[in-house]
């Protein structure tokens, strides 16, 4: 059994850790990283756009269990698109999760890393066009829903990827952290306009 | 971290730096003093940035960064720059003795010195747990000990700290 601290002792010990980093340290550290090439020079994105991709790409990453992360990767410097040379189509990957599920914070961090790697890899190959998270809530308008059991899944986000074929798009989806961790990904080709 | 992982751009790094450096800096100051802490912070971020590709995220980012800083502090010690007193002792105002102000009317300088006088293993666990708020599981990862050992070390550290402050016979709740 651990000897407990009183509130006063806890406060006193917390008071030990009050030093703040000096103002100039951030610039010094940043410069040190730049000198080693650990901070990339700013480049304009070369993502092949189908008329939709802005220079700043938001990479949505979603985990099975409602936890989602928005990665503001700006600017995303990417290689010329692989798909561009393959006569690619655009595919919508709809991320489906069981309704009401959630992730523990520690798992959330790990999942975030996996999505970052996966989405970053696609972006670097010019295969990622967009990704967005969908907020909780929302409602359905229009005709009344058919009677029946409540839906057990919900769409929590989507990616738009470029792929040479439906099979290729499905392979991309299957390799996503969402699918690897038990989530379902609906793959739909986007009709060219 | 994620944006920096992908883009490696300065803005993403600075965001990361600002999120984690305050805690890392306090961690380093309590071990190597103010002067050494700046070098520890710079080297921590350099090593972290170099090692990101190999980082498996088996622990939280904070724990991982703290582990790097901890190793650097130990290297600092091995180089013979052993800290015998926290440098800013005289600069610390004493706690005022009010109910919320801490261990009786003990000065923070006195408290720092008492912490510094703890056996190294005790000091590490006490600082990691009571000052920086790490869990016993995280401390176990950082120090290579079991969570149970971390708890028992913390128990002894607190008792030794009270003895060092002349409060060993007091009741604490």
């Amino acid at each position: 059994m651990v000897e407990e601290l009183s509130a006063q002792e806890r406060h006193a010990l917390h008071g030990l850790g009050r030093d703040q980093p000096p103002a100039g340290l951030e610039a010094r550290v940043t410069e040190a990283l730049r000198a080693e090439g650990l901070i990339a020079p700013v480049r304009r994105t070369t993502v092949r756009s189908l008329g939709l991709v802005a220079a700043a790409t938001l990479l949505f990453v979603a985990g099975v269990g409602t936890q989602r992360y928005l990665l503001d990767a700006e600017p995303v410097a990417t290689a010329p698109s692989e798909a561009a040379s393959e006569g690619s189509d655009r595919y919508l990957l709809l991320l489906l999760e069981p309704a009401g599920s959630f992730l523990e914070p520690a798992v959330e961090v790990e999942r975030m890393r996996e999505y970052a790697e996966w989405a970053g890899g696609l972006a670097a190959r010019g295969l990622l066009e967009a990704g967005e998270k969908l907020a909780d809530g929302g409602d359905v308008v229009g005709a009344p829903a058919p009677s029946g059991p409540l839906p057990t899944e919900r769409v929590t986000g989507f990616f738009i990827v470029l792929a040479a074929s439906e099979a290729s798009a499905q392979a991309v989806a299957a390799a996503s952290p969402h699918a690897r961790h038990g989530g379902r990904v609906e793959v739909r080709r986007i009709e060219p306009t | 971290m994620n944006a920096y992982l992908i883009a490696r751009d300065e803005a993403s790094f600075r965001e990361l730096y600002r999120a984690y450096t305050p805690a890392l800096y306090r961690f380093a100051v309590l071990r190597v003093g103010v002067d050494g802490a700046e070098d520890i912070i710079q080297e921590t971020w350099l090593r972290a940035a170099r090692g990101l590709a190999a980082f498996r995220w088996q622990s939280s980012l904070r724990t991982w960064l703290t582990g790097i800083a901890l190793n650097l502090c130990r290297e600092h010690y091995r180089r013979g720059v052993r800290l015998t007193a926290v440098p800013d002792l005289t600069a610390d105002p004493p706690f005022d003795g009010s109910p919320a102000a801490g261990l009786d009317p003990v000065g923070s300088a006195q408290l720092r010195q008492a912490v510094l006088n703890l056996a190294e293993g005790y000091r590490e666990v006490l600082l990691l747990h009571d000052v920086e708020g790490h869990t016993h599981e995280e401390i176990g990862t950082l120090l290579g000990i079991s969570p149970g050992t971390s708890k028992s070390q913390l128990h002894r550290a607190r008792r030794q700290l009270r003895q060092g402050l002349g409060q060993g016979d007091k009741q604490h709740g």
Side-chain angles (χ1 to χ4, degrees):
Chain A
M1 178 175 172
V2 176
E3 193 157 327
E4 294 301 326
L5 291 177
S6 68
Q8 291 171 332
E9 289 172 328
R10 192 172 297 115
H11 184 90
L13 285 166
H14 284 170
L16 288 180
R18 62 189 172 188
D19 304 271
Q20 291 298 316
L25 186 55
E26 179 176 330
R28 172 183 156 188
V29 172
T30 303
E31 193 50 46
L33 264 70
R34 194 195 317 282
E36 285 206 15
L38 297 167
I39 288 180
V42 175
R43 291 182 292 171
R44 290 196 175 279
T45 179
T46 56
V47 173
R48 173 181 178 270
S49 169
L50 292 176
L52 296 174
V53 177
T57 303
L58 284 179
L59 302 178
F60 162 61
V61 290
V64 175
T66 75
Q67 302 299 325
R68 301 166 201 88
Y69 317 96
L70 196 61
L71 303 180
D72 188 1
E74 41 145 355
V76 178
T78 68
S81 169
E82 289 178 19
S85 60
E86 300 174 6
S88 64
D89 282 321
R90 298 164 65 218
Y91 287 86
L92 175 65
L93 311 187
L94 278 173
L95 309 183
L96 308 173
E97 292 182 10
S101 55
F102 67 94
L103 284 181
E104 294 294 331
V107 179
E108 176 185 345
V109 171
E110 163 64 15
R111 201 61 51 81
M112 196 186 322
R113 193 274 308 166
E114 291 183 39
Y115 274 104
E117 280 189 358
W118 177 76
L122 289 175
R125 294 161 59 198
L127 299 176
L128 181 65
E129 184 177 298
E132 297 286 354
K133 76 165 186 171
L134 300 180
D136 288 332
D139 209 344
V140 178
V141 299
S147 59
L150 292 172
T152 57
E153 282 185 319
R154 58 182 177 163
V155 179
T156 57
F158 68 88
F159 287 97
I160 296 177
V161 301
L162 307 180
S165 66
E166 185 128 6
S168 177
Q170 289 172 358
V172 168
S176 71
H178 192 80
R180 290 203 310 268
H181 289 286
R184 298 195 326 127
V185 183
E186 183 172 343
V187 180
R188 302 285 295 274
R189 188 172 71 88
I190 298 173
E191 288 280 357
T193 54
Chain B
M1 172 57 79
N2 301 283
Y4 178 65
L5 271 175
I6 294 169
R8 291 278 181 169
D9 65 303
E10 181 174 332
S12 301
F13 171 73
R14 284 181 180 265
E15 188 178 332
L16 200 61
Y17 174 95
R18 289 167 192 166
Y20 291 95
T21 298
L24 289 170
Y25 182 75
R26 291 191 291 270
F27 177 92
V29 164
L30 288 170
R31 287 160 180 80
V32 302
V34 171
D35 293 339
E38 293 190 25
D39 291 338
I40 297 288
I41 293 302
Q42 176 170 322
E43 190 59 26
T44 295
W45 281 114
L46 280 168
R47 289 192 185 184
R50 291 178 198 133
L52 275 180
F55 178 43
R56 304 316 305 168
W57 291 74
Q58 290 166 337
S59 59
S60 74
L61 180 60
R62 182 177 77 128
T63 303
W64 185 62
L65 291 169
T66 302
I68 294 173
L70 178 64
N71 286 333
L72 287 164
C73 289
R74 288 173 169 171
E75 289 174 20
H76 190 88
Y77 279 119
R78 282 199 292 271
R79 288 199 302 269
V81 197
R82 195 170 190 86
L83 190 66
T84 54
V86 178
D88 58 349
L89 288 177
T90 56
D92 282 330
F95 288 104
D96 60 12
S98 64
L103 286 165
D104 296 340
V106 64
S108 65
Q110 185 186 350
L111 180 58
R112 282 183 181 227
Q113 193 59 57
V115 169
L116 198 66
N117 289 342
L118 293 173
E120 185 174 346
Y122 291 173
R123 184 173 64 243
E124 284 298 351
V125 171
L126 184 113
L127 288 174
L128 287 166
H129 190 278
D130 289 344
V131 178
E132 287 136 23
H134 287 275
T135 66
H136 288 296
E137 286 71 22
E138 290 171 337
I139 294 169
T141 300
L142 284 167
L143 301 181
I145 59 179
S146 71
T149 301
S150 173
K151 285 180 188 173
S152 62
Q153 293 280 78
L154 179 65
H155 175 80
R156 295 183 185 116
R158 287 174 175 173
R159 195 166 53 191
Q160 194 177 90
L161 180 67
R162 284 171 182 145
Q163 288 167 351
L165 291 168
Q167 300 174 8
D169 55 346
K170 294 186 67 172
Q171 294 298 313
H172 297 278

